[in-house]
Amino acid sequence: MRRMAVILMLATFGAAIAPAAFAQEDAEVVLRIGLTQDWETLNPTAGFAVSEYEIWNVHYATLTDKAAADFAPIPGLAESWEVSNGGLTYTYKLREGLKWSDGEPLTAEDVAWNVNTGRDQEWDNMLSTVINLDAKVIDDRTVEITSSVPDPKLPNMDVYLVPKHIWEPIATDYDATVEYEALDGVGSGPFVISEFTKGQSVVMVANPNYWGWNGENPPIDKVIFQTFANPDAMVAALQQGELDAIHGFPAGSAATLEDDPNIEVVAGRQGGFDEIAINGGAVTGQPHPALLDLEVRRAISFAIDKAAVIEDLWFGLAGPLETMSPGADEAKWIPDIPVDKAFTYDPARANQILDDAGYLDTDGDGIREMPDGTNPIVLRHAVNTDGDLAGPIGELFTGWMEAIGIGVELASYDQDALFGVIVEGDYDTFFWGWVPFVDPDPMLSYFTEAELESYNDANWTDPRFEELYLEQKVELDPQRRIDIVHEMLTILHDAAVYIPMYLGPDLQAYRTDTFEGWVRQPADIGPVMFSNSSPSYSLLRPVGSGSAASSDGTNWLLIGGVVVAVALAGAVVVTRRKSSADDRE
Amino acid sequence: MLATEQPESRGRTRFILKKMLGSLLTLVFVLVFNFVLFRIVQADPIGSLFRGRNVPAAKIADLRTAFGLDESLWVQFWAYVRQTFQLNFGISYQSRQPVWNEIVSAIPATVALVGISAVLSAVIGTVGGVIAAWRRNTWKDHAITSGTMVFYSMPDFWLGMILLVGFAVVLGWFPVGGMTNAGTSATGVALLLDRLHHIFLPALTLTLAYLGEYALVTRSSLFDVMGEDYLTVARAKGLRDVVVRNRHAVPNALLPVVTLIAINFGFVLSGAIAVEAVFSWPGLGKATADAIRGPDLPMLQGLFLLFSAAVIFFNLLADIAYAWLDPRVEGA
């Protein structure tokens, strides 16, 4: 027994000693970023988490970049482009002397191979961009991309281009491509992956061949992303200077961080929103019949106090929203809804609407019935247990509905089960959210017939909306397209099936005494990192000299080790004494 | 171990075989239950996996086919059983890597953390229990009993948060999370010290949380033997008190403690989910939490099978150890 204990101790220590680590010198400038999400894979054809996109934003340069201010296409790997063939063909001219981080030339061959292979193998993250495209190499620095249909997203080509010389032998088919671990470290962005420890960190080192350094030495040697399962611990690490920036902390910590003179809090917005959705009845499962009446849906919309949610649950950090936000650029895509049509909180008016429409409480139990006096209106509200706010919102919703004589039964589901419930139509209302892409097309497509039983979680369709959707998809005149999108969102708003609650902020904070040059995307309201193309990384410079203060834990490290050793030694001595007592017997 | 065939050893062998068969049947039950458990909920893993990604609906349907989710449950079940017997636990939905590789990479962190805590709490708790029992109703007994009970009755994640705030945030003596300094270049002794520095608080949390169990079981078990005749005989022989205690009382009192140690070791793999979350410790607990969020069915099935197998195995070990240590067992 005693020997076993000692062996176990040694074994557990043995398990704790495994090779790790990447060389790091004292003089290095290191940017440390904390986040609460882990990474599952760093393969840009397979992953989908926000944490993973951020690594790709840094590791890969794209053919065109997006302006920090408004996402407009600006030169990236391509220094210029020309349009021809009635807007169907774009010819991109690459910068001179482009190289991958391993020194191999980056040419038009790389671009064309990515576009065509991504299309043929249907790479998840690329397919919607390249599905109608065909790329042709003209010469080393010229690539011609032709779309089979008019595509308003062009000339934007924001897909991550992987190095052909590494990937071509691996990417034999879809399965082989997505199963590749992609830890070769060859990229074209400002920093490239050097080490990935799942559940802990991603270490990225400066890429001397990144075009944006303009031949100068990179001002930062290393970027380390560290994941925390405990957001409060992450906040503490920023306050202590162990981290330079953090992403995704609880709203309740914002006030504490704002009190620190060396910390800047950013409530970044890029179109993300949460909504209460009403079952529109377009799939098998039907809502309570009252919900099929537009008047009832309008009454419910008037009874929801969005301002209170923004104030009480978001501490004022979220933005107001009247209709759905379809893209990252809020100013561009969200239409103004006239004041007289807006659903501003007014429970008295909601009650009036229901009275006028004949939904009366005939039996005096506080719940209204259908106009024929039967079938009390009790809503099955689905609560998504994977979000922090769904529970509180469910409670608030119950109170708001009670005030207008509508009952609510709450049912909890995890995200996955909720998806199933929505597809089946077994619900009346739910609370969930979206973070849209830069281009509004995908978000708008979720309200079309083709997406029923998939992403159409409103279970609602509308013939005019459908028509306009197809129009905007091929409209190459930017202003005309904006007008069409605005009209679509007004139709969706007036149908009162999708009640946006607020524009949700992405909470971030950074130290102002270690690095400077953080850029918001989009301007004024956007986040400084984990944004659509994350321009901050190539613009950051250390404040004064040196990097963030590292923790002075060395002495305590020794003491901690000694304490454990003493405890173990004590345990051994106790068992030894026992045996020596045996000997003396 | 046994050179001579003793009459009671046949009964003992039968007892052990019976226990082994029982363990095997339990494992089979777990295998089936595991499959049913994750499919009871009406769920669409692919749907939620891709929500918020710009993927055409047709492509999602293709992936459901690829993951075998459009097959009947029977077909899925037999595929799962066949795979499991080939020690193939499938491919994780999220990372697209073999589940087994994902699990193996997270095992060392958890075994190190929970293993160290289990050993320390067993040793310290048992010694504490012996002292408390031998010095019954003295200040030592009261201090040990109430002290360990205070920690035992706290939720471990809460105790962890208190230690984290006190020692890592306020005093800054220890790091706030993780297993090493992120991106450290340390190797050898420096790396070991870095890891010890990181493991200290989570291991302290779990050790304190488990102490009470061992102390109390040891204490009450010693009370049971302290009135036995053989102790009176030993004292009558003029043996010193410490010899009576260590040679005659403790070995007999340790039987239930051995069982407790074995059972607790069964939970070494799965027993620290909350504490791993508090200290951002990259082990199996954290892997489970991430898989549940998917839900990454193949990953969850693999993890649950592993956790169950560990508990079943160590319970079997406890039964066998008991059979060796306690000659009265064959009657059972």
Side-chain angles (χ1 to χ4, degrees):
Chain A
M1 194 64 223
R2 186 181 75 236
R3 203 168 305 146
M4 189 174 145
V6 173
I7 288 168
L8 266 169
M9 283 174 205
L10 290 174
T12 48
F13 271 94
I17 310 167
F22 194 84
Q24 180 186 339
E25 285 133 36
D26 291 339
E28 278 191 323
V29 179
V30 182
L31 168 69
R32 294 173 182 273
I33 294 171
L35 64 158
T36 50
Q37 198 179 17
D38 199 357
W39 304 268
E40 292 295 337
T41 169
L42 298 186
N43 178 334
T45 67
F48 52 87
V50 171
S51 56
E52 292 155 8
Y53 270 92
E54 189 70 348
I55 303 297
W56 305 327
N57 276 337
V58 179
H59 183 87
Y60 296 106
T62 47
L63 192 59
T64 59
D65 267 352
K66 296 199 194 85
D70 61 358
F71 305 106
I74 54 172
L77 292 170
E79 60 184 18
S80 63
W81 49 84
E82 284 166 7
V83 60
S84 57
N85 188 14
L88 293 177
T89 300
Y90 279 83
T91 309
Y92 299 86
K93 188 82 180 163
L94 298 187
R95 291 168 194 276
E96 205 170 343
L98 289 174
K99 286 197 183 84
W100 293 101
S101 57
D102 63 354
E104 289 287 320
L106 192 165
T107 67
E109 193 61 53
D110 284 295
V111 180
W113 181 83
N114 271 273
V115 171
N116 298 335
T117 314
R119 177 200 62 215
D120 295 343
Q121 292 188 4
E122 302 191 343
W123 294 352
D124 302 334
N125 295 335
M126 209 192 261
L127 186 58
S128 58
T129 306
V130 300
I131 193 162
N132 300 315
L133 302 183
D134 189 63
K136 204 162 83 199
V137 176
I138 305 298
D139 62 43
D140 268 1
R141 284 182 55 202
T142 317
V143 60
E144 188 181 87
I145 295 180
T146 301
S147 177
S148 54
V149 294
D151 184 351
K153 291 195 294 294
L154 290 172
N156 213 336
M157 275 299 295
D158 61 345
V159 291
Y160 301 113
L161 300 169
V162 301
K164 181 189 173 193
H165 65 280
I166 304 277
W167 284 65
E168 193 178 31
I170 293 155
T172 49
D173 60 15
Y174 173 86
D175 285 345
T177 306
V178 298
E179 282 164 27
Y180 176 48
E181 283 192 295
L183 298 177
D184 50 75
V186 179
S188 51
F191 300 90
V192 290
I193 300 162
S194 80
E195 188 198 339
F196 168 39
T197 317
K198 194 170 151 70
Q200 295 183 75
S201 58
V202 173
V203 180
M204 304 185 82
V205 293
N207 168 19
N209 300 334
Y210 171 56
W211 66 262
W213 300 135
N214 297 319
E216 290 171 20
N217 275 338
I220 295 173
D221 298 303
K222 209 180 252 187
V223 181
I224 297 175
F225 292 91
Q226 188 180 355
T227 178
F228 287 81
N230 179 350
D232 300 318
M234 180 178 79
V235 169
L238 179 75
Q239 290 172 300
Q240 289 177 347
E242 283 179 44
L243 296 172
D244 301 304
I246 59 174
H247 165 253
F249 58 86
S253 304
T256 319
L257 289 172
E258 275 166 347
D259 288 344
D260 189 319
N262 296 320
I263 291 176
E264 185 72 35
V265 173
V266 176
R269 296 194 342 230
Q270 38 184 349
F273 67 98
D274 289 341
E275 80 285 341
I276 286 178
I278 297 176
N279 185 347
V283 292
T284 316
Q286 287 298 299
H288 188 283
L291 295 180
L292 297 174
D293 181 348
L294 175 61
E295 291 305 303
V296 174
R297 296 199 302 266
R298 291 183 66 241
I300 290 174
S301 304
F302 277 117
I304 290 175
D305 190 355
K306 301 177 186 184
V309 172
I310 293 172
E311 210 40 58
D312 301 342
L313 295 184
W314 277 108
F315 305 93
L317 295 165
L321 183 63
E322 182 60 32
T323 183
M324 189 195 73
S325 150
D329 193 349
E330 300 168 5
K332 185 173 178 180
W333 299 115
I334 302 176
D336 281 328
I337 303 289
V339 176
D340 60 309
K341 290 184 84 179
F343 296 118
T344 312
Y345 180 57
D346 190 346
R349 184 170 172 184
N351 274 313
Q352 193 58 54
I353 292 173
L354 291 170
D355 289 346
D356 295 350
Y359 296 89
L360 304 172
D361 177 14
T362 48
D363 54 8
D365 65 350
I367 308 279
R368 294 173 185 270
E369 280 77 33
M370 293 293 285
D372 65 4
T374 63
N375 201 356
I377 308 176
V378 178
L379 305 179
R380 298 162 293 162
H381 180 79
V383 176
N384 178 355
T385 55
D386 288 336
D388 294 338
L389 292 183
I393 297 246
E395 301 295 329
L396 288 169
F397 183 68
T398 309
W400 294 327
M401 292 303 103
E402 195 182 335
I404 59 168
I406 291 179
V408 174
E409 287 171 357
L410 298 177
S412 294
Y413 304 93
D414 71 9
Q415 180 170 302
D416 177 58
L418 180 55
F419 199 95
V421 168
I422 292 168
V423 163
E424 298 290 328
D426 289 334
Y427 68 100
D428 291 316
T429 54
F430 69 79
F431 170 80
W432 206 346
W434 291 95
V435 178
F437 295 83
V438 169
D439 193 88
D441 182 83
M443 197 67 227
L444 295 169
S445 75
Y446 303 156
F447 299 89
T448 61
E449 214 161 319
E451 292 285 350
L452 282 173
E453 299 191 343
S454 183
Y455 285 156
N456 188 334
D457 62 0
N459 290 337
W460 169 88
T461 58
D462 176 272
R464 178 72 188 137
F465 186 97
E466 202 93 16
E467 235 170 79
L468 291 167
Y469 173 72
L470 296 174
E471 266 178 52
Q472 66 78 35
K473 213 175 166 59
V474 293
E475 179 56 65
L476 295 180
D477 175 55
Q479 189 51 50
R480 175 80 194 99
R481 185 166 181 234
I482 290 173
D483 294 342
I484 298 173
V485 171
H486 284 189
E487 190 184 339
M488 293 170 73
L489 292 170
T490 307
I491 293 171
L492 179 64
H493 169 267
D494 295 348
V497 284
Y498 222 63
I499 307 164
M501 300 294 290
Y502 47 74
L503 285 157
D506 189 4
L507 294 180
Q508 318 185 328
Y510 58 86
R511 294 196 68 88
T512 50
D513 55 357
T514 55
F515 290 90
E516 55 196 3
W518 295 98
V519 182
R520 300 187 82 155
Q521 183 186 41
D524 305 327
I525 60 163
V528 293
M529 50 185 162
F530 297 84
S531 69
N532 188 268
S533 59
S534 299
S536 287
Y537 294 91
S538 56
L539 302 169
L540 284 169
R541 303 287 181 267
V543 172
S545 63
S547 67
S550 64
S551 78
D552 55 345
T554 326
N555 308 339
W556 293 112
L557 181 147
L558 268 167
I559 289 173
V562 168
V563 170
V564 171
V566 167
L568 281 172
V572 174
V573 167
V574 168
T575 48
R576 287 288 291 277
R577 272 202 19 213
K578 202 154 63 178
S579 61
S580 61
D582 296 351
D583 298 340
R584 282 199 298 269
E585 193 178 327
Chain B
M1 275 303 274
L2 279 179
T4 55
E5 180 73 25
Q6 294 164 336
E8 80 265 17
S9 80
R10 195 175 303 154
R12 193 177 274 164
T13 311
R14 206 170 47 227
F15 168 82
I16 289 174
L17 279 175
K18 208 159 71 182
K19 288 285 174 193
M20 280 181 159
L21 186 69
S23 301
L24 200 67
L25 287 174
T26 315
L27 202 58
V28 170
F29 170 77
V30 166
L31 190 72
V32 176
F33 180 74
N34 217 345
F35 179 84
V36 175
L37 181 71
F38 294 117
R39 282 166 181 76
I40 279 176
V41 284
Q42 174 190 36
D44 180 8
I46 307 299
S48 68
L49 203 63
F50 283 79
R51 190 178 202 265
R53 289 172 90 181
N54 193 2
V55 180
K59 172 80 197 171
I60 292 180
D62 288 352
L63 278 166
R64 283 202 187 94
T65 312
F67 286 164
L69 288 165
D70 56 351
E71 303 276 12
S72 76
L73 279 185
W74 275 114
V75 175
Q76 286 187 53
F77 177 70
W78 286 118
Y80 157 78
V81 171
R82 217 179 25 249
Q83 277 186 351
T84 307
F85 274 101
Q86 295 162 346
L87 293 182
N88 166 6
F89 298 92
I91 302 279
S92 155
Y93 290 168
Q94 287 173 312
S95 69
R96 308 292 182 100
Q97 297 302 316
V99 163
W100 186 239
N101 297 4
E102 296 281 302
I103 289 178
V104 164
S105 66
I107 285 179
T110 294
V111 170
L113 170 61
V114 191
I116 287 175
S117 317
V119 170
L120 286 178
S121 56
V123 172
I124 300 168
T126 309
V127 170
V130 169
I131 294 169
W134 214 249
R135 301 273 173 265
R136 191 176 184 171
N137 286 330
T138 62
W139 68 268
K140 277 187 183 169
D141 179 20
H142 296 311
I144 289 171
T145 310
S146 51
T148 56
M149 278 321 287
V150 165
F151 291 123
Y152 182 63
S153 46
M154 281 184 191
D156 54 8
F157 66 89
W158 190 71
L159 174 61
M161 272 311 269
I162 300 283
L163 293 175
L164 180 91
V165 170
F167 291 100
V169 178
V170 176
L171 295 171
W173 293 357
F174 293 97
V176 293
M179 194 160 76
T180 50
N181 284 330
T184 179
S185 59
T187 51
V189 175
L191 179 65
L192 175 63
L193 285 176
D194 186 26
R195 292 193 170 188
L196 285 174
H197 193 206
H198 280 79
I199 205 171
F200 188 88
L201 285 181
L204 178 66
T205 306
L206 286 171
T207 305
L208 290 174
Y210 295 152
L211 275 181
E213 216 178 347
Y214 290 106
L216 282 192
V217 169
T218 310
R219 182 173 174 267
S220 62
S221 171
L222 256 178
F223 284 167
D224 289 346
V225 302
M226 269 159 74
E228 297 280 353
D229 293 345
Y230 58 82
L231 287 197
T232 317
V233 172
R235 283 201 183 86
K237 283 200 301 190
L239 291 178
R240 283 180 312 121
D241 193 45
V242 73
V243 176
V244 173
R245 187 185 74 187
N246 292 354
R247 176 77 191 152
H248 296 280
V250 171
N252 289 305
L254 276 184
L255 280 176
V257 181
V258 169
T259 315
L260 190 64
I261 290 174
I263 288 172
N264 277 344
F265 262 90
F267 291 99
V268 157
L269 293 177
S270 58
I273 292 180
V275 172
E276 280 191 9
V278 169
F279 291 98
S280 309
W281 191 257
L284 290 166
K286 195 168 171 299
T288 308
D290 290 342
I292 287 172
R293 229 166 285 141
D296 194 336
L297 291 183
M299 192 76 191
L300 283 173
Q301 280 168 187
L303 285 163
F304 276 58
L305 199 62
L306 179 76
F307 295 160
S308 316
V311 171
I312 292 167
F313 173 77
F314 278 100
N315 270 315
L316 179 65
L317 218 59
D319 286 334
I320 292 173
Y322 222 107
W324 281 122
L325 295 169
D326 192 343
R328 291 167 302 190
V329 157
E330 312 102 78

